[in-house]
Amino acid sequence: MIYLVEDDESIRKLVIYALESQGYEAEGFDRPSAFRDALERQMPELVLLDRMLPEEDGIQVLAKLRESPRTASLPVILLTALNTEYDRVEGLDSGADDYISKPFGMMEVVA
């Protein structure tokens, strides 16, 4: 299972469609609170996380994941429009496993 936390509905639907068309099971969330509720029901194998979200920044969401023993080693890839070198370094230093800048290609995300 792959969880995608992305508040832009069109991007969320597109990424979920691309993942499912490649045989992955995926679920999308528009808010960090909905994502956290889902974590209580099922632990994903991967999280794709936007940085600019309602409720809280993706870096804050990532920090909470890394603080919890249950999710500390959960792979997280940031998918975001923030694409300066500083943004990428900040994301990776915050514990992201990878960083993909928008706009991105679906082949890149699936890979």
Side-chain angles (χ1 to χ4, degrees), residues 5 11 20-22 24 29 35 41 70 81 93 108:
V5 187
I11 293 173
E20 290 178 341
S21 72
Q22 295 299 308
Y24 295 101
F29 307 95
F35 163 67
R41 294 188 309 272
R70 186 169 172 255
D93 282 351
E108 179 182 15

Side-chain angles (χ1 to χ4, degrees), residues 39-108:
L39 280 177
E40 295 301 317
R41 294 188 309 272
Q42 180 178 1
M43 185 64 64
E45 296 173 48
L46 171 67
V47 175
L48 303 175
L49 177 62
D50 189 14
R51 284 195 55 179
M52 295 181 289
L53 295 164
E55 301 178 343
E56 62 187 310
D57 183 86
I59 294 293
Q60 294 169 311
V61 174
L62 178 59
K64 289 176 183 176
L65 290 172
R66 294 300 179 238
E67 289 171 4
S68 169
R70 186 169 172 255
T71 57
S73 62
L74 181 63
V76 176
I77 298 174
L78 293 173
L79 294 178
T80 179
L82 299 174
N83 62 6
T84 67
E85 181 180 11
Y86 176 81
D87 294 323
R88 289 189 300 276
V89 169
E90 180 183 33
L92 294 169
D93 282 351
S94 296
D97 295 282
D98 205 351
Y99 197 102
I100 300 175
S101 297
K102 294 176 187 175
F104 49 77
M106 286 302 110
M107 289 173 44
E108 179 182 15

